[in-house]
Amino acid sequence: MSKTSIEPRIFALFGAFGDLALRKLFPALYQLDRAELLSADTRIIALSRQTTDRTEAQALIKEKLVRHVAHPHINDLILERFVERIECLSIEFSKPSDFDSLAEKVGANTPIIAFFATPASVYGSICAGLASAGLAERCDVVLEKPIGHDLASFHEVSDAVSRYFPENRTYRIDHYLGKDTVQNLSALRFANNLFGSQWNQNHISHVEITVAETVGIEGRWGYFDQAGQLRDMIQNHLMQLLCLIAMDPPPDLSANSIRDEKVKVLKSLVPISSEKLKDNLVLGQYRAGNLQGTTVPGYLEEEGANSESTTETFVALRVEISNWRWIGVPFYLRTGKRMAKKLSEIVVHFKAPPHSIFLPEHGQIISNRLIIRLQPNEGISLSVMTTDRGLERGMQLRSEPLRLNFADSSANSRIPDAYERLLLEVMKGQQNLFVRKDEIECAWKWCDQLIANCKAQGISPDNYAAGSWGPEAAMKLMDRDGRSWHDDD
């Protein structure tokens, strides 16, 4: 699709002055404008409950853009052009009559993209308001996670949305699906027979998925303490990554073909019973520690904290997928806050050769590892066995990486932020990178039973020092299988 073929849109951003919109959405739209991917007639309507003067709002958004967009990409002329697209409207999301003013402002005919950067509790009210004002028929809705806190609450929100918007006009965001490296998973797996023919239990011993954050709660105590890391990260981000790694090849790259395969993975995910919790689950909660040379408080010492909280800030899981491709291959999932460093990666460990022709003095054969780095320094690395160079070395084996760093290989082009790609896909009407309703249902069903078993067994989180890789029990989770986590330097 050419730059000029994307038809004009009206972006209606609900919750336009919240952190998500100011830190991610406006910068993403600015970058699309800078790349000439927004039609000249595309408009942005910043919707909030507060009364905001347009000039003041534009000044605030401009200030945030300068802060969150890399300096080389700030162009004063484009910046002025972009903020001129922005209009403001104050409405009460729960009052359908207030949406008449939105209908008057958007006018007739132009398609609308409504992005809900609000709590999920008001999604239904916003949808009802759009329908009441006669806007629903020409509107696509974009839903930001979290959508509910369990399966029942997800159904409640989802039913309220689907009353007015069918599945093909509903876009549920998981921003990990917009990352460049995640996009490359399909090409890596299905365009390279080197991997495609090896992608099964005959050749892979185990898989790790790690999403580690150095940040703590960042003022989100009220939300996070009710959610915890299981609901906040496992149920969505890590489940999506698991599906993309484990799914069978789809018949084509259409949205529903890809989603069908992801659902099959989730349905094959073996529940962790109460009896197996001890050997397959570790929960943790960070205490005060040292992170990158700075002393940081523990979870229970954060601003607004409840000192009695037993909410987990770390989760490590050993899970299994019961199907022909993956039977007997454990998947180790790990995610936590206040970890040693920010890191999101997938490590695929291949099995060792069935027979070695090398002598013990030649050195140890280390199994091949495929490392897919999502952040930072997006890229792919494959460790292979080679020999040392030099006549004096003789035959000495060593493991050496073959690296593809996206920043290096794209030296003349900027790697786009995930939200840029996702917003562009909504504009194109493509749903491949968005999550279907039944995917979320399956993920919640699996997580709900795990959370219920934890409560029934009285499982509480172990402490771990901020700046570490989590509780000692997380290391033992791998030790029991004769393995260890891959912690890159």
Side-chain angles (χ1 to χ4, degrees), residues 121-146:
S121 57
V122 299
Y123 288 179
S125 297
I126 296 174
C127 291
L130 291 168
S132 174
L135 300 174
E137 291 302 316
R138 57 186 171 107
C139 183
D140 292 339
V141 292
V142 186
L143 313 182
E144 181 67 38
K145 80 155 191 89

Side-chain angles (χ1 to χ4, degrees), residues 377-395:
N377 306 322
E378 295 180 64
I380 298 168
S381 172
L382 175 65
S383 67
V384 296
M385 294 303 297
T386 64
T387 60
D388 282 339
R389 268 74 68 187
L391 294 175
E392 73 284 355
R393 299 293 295 170
M395 174 67 77

Side-chain angles (χ1 to χ4, degrees), residues 197-211:
S197 61
Q198 308 289 303
W199 214 260
N200 55 54
Q201 46 87 17
N202 293 321
H203 303 285
I204 292 175
S205 67
H206 64 289
V207 178
E208 298 176 50
I209 302 176
T210 294
V211 178

Side-chain angles (χ1 to χ4, degrees), residues 182-368:
V182 174
Q183 291 304 293
N184 267 289
L185 279 175
S186 294
L188 184 73
R189 288 194 53 195
F190 307 130
N192 295 284
N193 194 45
L194 169 67
F195 296 119
S197 61
Q198 308 289 303
W199 214 260
N200 55 54
Q201 46 87 17
N202 293 321
H203 303 285
I204 292 175
S205 67
H206 64 289
V207 178
E208 298 176 50
I209 302 176
T210 294
V211 178
E213 302 174 283
T214 56
V215 297
I217 302 307
E218 293 191 306
R220 294 194 311 154
W221 175 272
Y223 159 73
F224 186 85
D225 199 56
Q226 293 297 314
Q229 202 74 346
L230 274 166
R231 293 184 175 95
D232 191 49
M233 293 295 289
I234 294 289
Q235 184 273 331
N236 43 76
H237 294 331
L238 276 83
M239 285 293 178
Q240 284 296 313
L241 295 178
L242 174 66
C243 287
L244 291 171
I245 281 292
M247 71 181 190
D248 283 343
D252 52 52
L253 291 178
S254 66
N256 278 332
S257 291
I258 294 171
R259 291 154 152 185
D260 287 346
E261 298 304 328
K262 288 160 68 180
V263 168
K264 289 178 185 177
V265 173
L266 292 169
K267 288 183 175 180
S268 300
L269 200 58
V270 178
I272 300 177
S273 65
S274 297
E275 295 75 24
K276 294 183 177 181
L277 280 177
K278 183 179 179 181
D279 292 334
N280 294 278
L281 169 72
V282 175
L283 302 180
Q285 185 184 88
Y286 67 84
R287 63 176 186 272
N290 189 283
L291 185 61
Q292 298 171 352
T294 302
T295 301
V296 295
Y299 180 71
L300 301 182
E301 299 162 351
E302 297 277 10
E303 183 179 352
N306 167 18
S307 60
E308 302 298 319
S309 174
T310 58
T311 297
E312 77 284 351
T313 63
F314 174 95
V315 179
L317 285 167
R318 183 188 188 279
V319 301
E320 296 181 353
I321 298 171
S322 181
N323 62 22
W324 283 91
R325 181 179 293 272
W326 295 114
I327 192 69
V329 178
F331 287 74
Y332 301 93
L333 280 55
R334 175 176 62 163
T335 180
K337 294 188 177 297
R338 293 294 192 204
M339 303 290 281
K341 62 182 177 180
K342 184 176 183 179
L343 176 69
S344 296
E345 70 177 16
I346 301 163
V347 184
V348 181
H349 296 259
F350 291 89
K351 291 183 176 180
H355 172 67
S356 176
I357 63 173
F358 298 95
L359 299 175
E361 56 264 31
H362 292 158
Q364 181 185 3
I365 294 180
I366 300 173
S367 300
N368 302 122

